[in-house]
Amino acid sequence: MWELVKAGGWLMTPIVLCSILALVIIIERSHTLQFNKIAPNRLREQLITRLRENGDIGRTQLMNVKEKSPLGDILATGLLYRQYGLESMTMHMQNRASVQVHQLEKNINMLGTIGAIAPLLGLLGTVLGIISSFLAITDGAMQDPTMLAAGVSQALITTAAGMIVAIPALVAYRYFQRRIIDINAQFETQAGLMIQELYDYQLLEHAHKPNVPAQHIVADDQAEAERSIDGLGLDKIATATLY
């Protein structure tokens, strides 16, 4: 292996560095982008059950939920601001979703960059190898074929090395992009279901509507819940940042 690296010339150094960096990013993102860590099962159901049983969840408990997972951060933020109405809940959950999606995208663009530049480095090595071969011909390589073979081997090795690094990097880049979109869709689904359940179980705070008749509160909350669920638009956050 070391002999191949030496035969590929100085351009093999950045190609090897790209391969190491890509491997580190793939391992780190594979560990981070796990659904059970990002969106724990039954988290929303547990929060709603606790609200129904106790009527409220303490701020300390919600802060603990926020710190444990990205989905917990979004849902707990909504519950912290539910006393201010559905519009405020939606706005704050959108803000937290934007932050969480940005964190999930960490280093993924670097992976795409590696997938793009690795073949170019290999191509540059190919060009330099061919140039070396033609220079060797003028120096008498027709009498000594080994002089010609050195440039040709450099061209082939760097091209192959660039492809070997680029292909898995691009595959991983697209895979992680798709996973973030799926995770973001899960964020939107869970947030929308929580808003609907808060309305269904009459767990919303009405302190911001002090002098409004009860039937008007219910009608207004229902309309506002529908608008909030339709307007969450968390998938637009990931789409805008990924593309």
Side-chain angles (χ1 to χ4, degrees), residues 22 27 59 81 97 146 176 180 222:
I27 294 174
R59 183 178 182 85
Y81 289 92
T146 58
F176 290 139
I180 289 175
Q222 184 176 11

Side-chain angles (χ1 to χ4, degrees), residues 2-207:
W2 177 243
E3 293 299 326
L4 289 176
V5 173
K6 289 175 60 178
W10 64 271
L11 276 171
M12 287 297 292
T13 300
I15 292 176
V16 170
L17 291 177
C18 285
S19 68
I20 295 173
L21 182 58
L23 181 61
V24 171
I25 294 174
I26 290 172
I27 294 174
E28 187 271 334
R29 287 292 92 185
S30 297
H31 177 73
T32 301
L33 298 179
Q34 297 181 18
F35 275 102
N36 60 341
K37 292 184 177 180
I38 295 173
N41 291 331
R42 302 186 59 80
L43 176 61
R44 187 196 79 256
E45 291 89 336
Q46 292 172 1
L47 292 173
I48 294 297
T49 300
R50 191 175 301 175
L51 273 175
R52 295 181 65 187
E53 292 175 351
N54 303 328
D56 196 8
I57 301 177
R59 183 178 182 85
T60 302
Q61 293 176 315
L62 289 176
M63 295 304 294
N64 290 334
V65 173
K66 280 173 62 68
E67 295 173 357
K68 289 183 178 179
S69 67
L71 179 61
D73 182 17
I74 296 170
L75 299 183
T77 298
L79 293 178
L80 284 171
Y81 289 92
R82 70 190 178 100
Q83 59 181 319
Y84 302 109
L86 288 172
E87 185 175 350
S88 178
M89 283 182 58
T90 302
M91 180 186 67
H92 284 92
M93 284 194 291
Q94 284 179 336
N95 290 338
R96 294 311 303 167
S98 178
V99 172
Q100 291 298 335
V101 169
H102 179 72
Q103 291 296 323
L104 295 177
E105 290 175 334
K106 180 181 178 182
N107 294 329
I108 289 182
N109 285 335
M110 177 64 71
L111 199 60
T113 301
I114 292 173
I117 67 172
L120 296 179
L121 292 173
L123 180 60
L124 179 59
T126 301
V127 173
L128 294 178
I130 292 175
I131 292 174
S132 298
S133 298
F134 276 105
L135 292 177
I137 291 175
T138 61
D139 292 337
M142 298 304 294
Q143 288 76 27
D144 186 6
T146 58
M147 298 175 61
L148 183 63
V152 174
S153 64
Q154 177 182 344
L156 296 176
I157 290 171
T158 54
T159 301
M163 295 294 182
I164 290 172
V165 174
I167 292 173
L170 286 176
V171 170
Y173 172 66
R174 294 298 181 184
Y175 171 77
F176 290 139
Q177 274 192 326
R178 181 69 251 178
R179 171 158 288 218
I180 289 175
I181 292 175
D182 293 340
I183 290 171
N184 191 74
Q186 182 73 357
F187 287 165
E188 182 180 11
T189 300
Q190 293 297 315
L193 287 173
M194 188 182 74
I195 291 175
Q196 188 62 55
E197 289 173 344
L198 289 174
Y199 167 75
D200 291 341
Y201 298 123
Q202 299 181 5
L203 297 172
L204 294 170
E205 298 289 343
H206 303 301

